[in-house]
Amino acid sequence: MTSNGSNPEAFSWKFGFANQKGKYLTAEKFGFKLNASGAALKAKQVWVLEHGQSADEVYIRSSQKRYLATDKYGNLTCDSEERGECQRFLVEYNDQGQWAFKSVPFSYYMYGEEDNMHCKSKTAEWWHIQLAIHPQVNLYNTNRKRYCHMETPKSVEEQPQEVHGCQLIPWGSQAMITLDYIENKYAIQMCDGRYLHPDGSLQASSEGALYTLQVKSGGIAFRSNDGKFLTNIGSTATLKARNSKVTKDELFLIKDSQPQVTLTGSNGKRVSIMQGIDVSSNQDDDELSEKDIFQLEFDSSSKKWKFLASNGKYWVMKGVGVQANGEGSAEASLFELEQLANSTIALKAPNGKYVTIKMTGALNCSSDSCGDKEKFKMTILNRPIMILKGEFGFLGLKNNKIEANRPTYDAFELKQAHNGLYNFKGSNGKYWTTDGGQVMCVGEQGEATGFQLELLGNSRIGIKTADGNYLRGENNGVLTASAPEIKNDSKYEF
C-alpha cells in the first residue's frame, strides 16, 4: 500500500469486490466491459480505491487504469481515463463488514449480477470486500507514526502477550503480520501463529478475533465484532479495540514487509554497527543483536539496493569505507547485489569496486574482483512463515503436491538447512521435494530439497535448486524445478 498524499497515486488501496452470490466485479480488457461473474480474485477483479474529497469518498479504478462512472440514467461504465464528477462514490458500511457504493452526484447505489450492471438502486447494495495484496505486511499507526510489533518479553522463556506500536522501523519477524482472510473478514496473525483479539490478548484461535475494514482518507480502520476499532493505547501503545468511532488514532497504513537479513563475512563474523556508525564484519557472539540486522530496500530506477540499519540510517560509501549514517537518497547508498551459490552474495559499491573485508573487519569498497573475501552469507530473518504468490496465483498444498494457481494461500515454514540453503515445511508436517521435477510436499526432514532464495526486488524472489533450476509455475497449477533462468513464471511475491 502506498502512503497518504494529495495526488491520485499517493494514497490508494487494492481490493476485490464480491456480490451476495460471491461473484467478483470484473473489468474485461475487451471494450472495457463490466460484469460480476468472476469466480476468484485475479488480475481482472482487482480494483484500486483512490481517496476523494471527503473521508469516505473514493474513485474506483480498474486494472486497465479506467475509472468506474455513472450517469443520471444509472448506466455504469468503466472507460474513463480521468477522474471527474461522475466518477465520485461514497463508501457505506454495514455491521457485517460489507460495503455499498453510492454515486455522489446522483445518490444511487451500484449493483451487479452477471452482466446486469447499473447504478440506480435506491437502497444499499452490499458487497464483500477482499484486500488484493500479499497478506504478509507491516502495520503502521498514522497518528503515532510507529509500527506494530509483538512485545519483547523479559526473558527468552516467556512468550509475548501483547502487540505494541512503538517501532520506528518494523524490526524482525516480531513486526511481521499476516492478514488472514476468514469468512469475509480479517484476522491479524502474528509470526508465531497466534491471533490478536479485541482485548489485546494473543490467542491460538481466531474465533472472536475477526475484523472488518473501513477505508478513510487517512488510512484503514479495523472494526471488531462488538463495533470497536483497533487503536494503540497508553505508553506502551498496546494494540486493542476500544473506541466506537474512527479518529486519527484508529487509522493504520498497511505496508509491504521488506526483507531483513544478516550478513556473515568470510572471516565467519556477522556484519554489524555495534561499534557505532562504521559497518564492520566483527560480531561472533551467539546472541543476535538488532545492530547485526539490516533491511534491504530495492531501488527500482537503478536496480540496486539500499541497506537500512537499526539506527534508522542507510549504508553510505565514505571514501572507500562503509558507514551507516546516510539518508538513503544519495547514489553513494546504492549497492549492486550479485547472487552467488549457497545463499552467498557479493556487493558492488557505488564506485564500481567490490566490498571486501579488511583485517580489522571493516568493510572496504576497494576490490577489483570477487574472491572469497568479497563473499557474504546472507540469511533472511523476518520470514519464519513464507506465503508465496506467483504469476498464476498463490502456492498451496493439495494432495501432497504444491500447486501454483491457488486463489487462496497456504503458509509454509521456512527452515534453515545446510550450506546456506532453505527448506520449506508444509501444514502436513512434510517438506518440499523435487524428485522427478514436480514439487511435492512428502519428504521427511532429511529428504527435503534445499533451495536458494534470490532477492529480485519489488518483493519478489526466485527459488533455485542446488542443480541451478528455478521453480516455475504453470497456468494449470503444476510447479516444477525446470526453469534455467528467471522469467515471470518463476518470480514469487513473498
Side-chain angles (χ1 to χ4, degrees), residues 120-289:
K120 53 187 177 183
S121 296
K122 294 182 179 180
T123 57
E125 300 285 349
W126 299 106
W127 298 78
H128 299 290
I129 64 101
Q130 183 177 352
L131 284 165
I133 62 170
H134 192 280
Q136 289 182 303
V137 298
N138 297 133
L139 199 60
Y140 179 81
N141 186 291
T142 61
N143 194 40
R144 289 182 179 252
K145 295 180 172 56
R146 295 291 188 275
Y147 287 92
C148 296
H149 60 98
M150 284 200 298
E151 67 172 338
T152 302
K154 296 179 180 179
S155 68
V156 294
E157 291 81 15
E158 295 183 21
Q159 193 176 35
Q161 299 301 320
E162 295 179 339
V163 176
H164 294 170
C166 302
Q167 288 188 339
L168 281 169
I169 304 170
W171 221 245
S173 60
Q174 303 289 79
M176 191 194 71
I177 289 170
T178 300
L179 294 176
D180 202 357
Y181 190 59
I182 303 172
E183 299 174 357
N184 298 314
K185 298 181 180 181
Y186 280 91
I188 296 175
Q189 187 180 37
M190 306 309 293
C191 66
D192 65 355
R194 291 182 296 164
Y195 293 92
L196 177 71
H197 281 245
D199 63 358
S201 63
L202 294 170
Q203 300 180 30
S205 173
S206 64
E207 185 176 354
L210 300 183
Y211 303 89
T212 60
L213 307 182
Q214 294 187 11
V215 291
K216 306 291 180 180
S217 58
I220 197 163
F222 294 83
R223 185 179 185 269
S224 66
N225 286 338
D226 63 357
K228 303 295 178 63
F229 291 90
L230 287 179
T231 187
N232 292 113
I233 299 172
S235 59
T236 59
T238 302
L239 187 61
K240 60 176 63 177
R242 184 176 69 173
N243 301 323
S244 57
K245 292 184 178 181
V246 177
T247 68
K248 291 181 180 180
D249 289 323
E250 286 73 39
L251 293 178
F252 296 86
L253 295 183
I254 297 170
K255 297 194 176 186
D256 286 339
S257 177
Q258 305 290 343
Q260 294 174 353
V261 304
T262 59
L263 298 173
T264 303
S266 57
N267 60 1
K269 298 182 179 182
R270 291 190 304 274
V271 176
S272 178
I273 57 166
M274 188 65 73
Q275 273 72 44
I277 62 173
D278 291 326
V279 183
S280 299
S281 179
N282 60 6
Q283 294 300 304
D284 55 6
D285 296 339
D286 291 336
E287 186 174 346
L288 183 68
S289 164

Side-chain angles (χ1 to χ4, degrees), residues 26-41:
T26 302
E28 300 291 352
K29 293 182 180 180
F30 179 75
F32 307 113
K33 299 294 185 181
L34 288 171
N35 63 68
S37 56
L41 181 55

Side-chain angles (χ1 to χ4, degrees), residues 276-309:
I277 62 173
D278 291 326
V279 183
S280 299
S281 179
N282 60 6
Q283 294 300 304
D284 55 6
D285 296 339
D286 291 336
E287 186 174 346
L288 183 68
S289 164
E290 283 190 355
K291 295 183 179 182
D292 307 338
I293 302 172
F294 302 97
Q295 179 167 291
L296 271 64
E297 299 178 5
F298 187 66
D299 181 73
S300 298
S301 59
S302 67
K303 309 300 182 185
K304 297 181 180 180
W305 295 84
K306 295 184 288 187
F307 288 76
L308 179 65

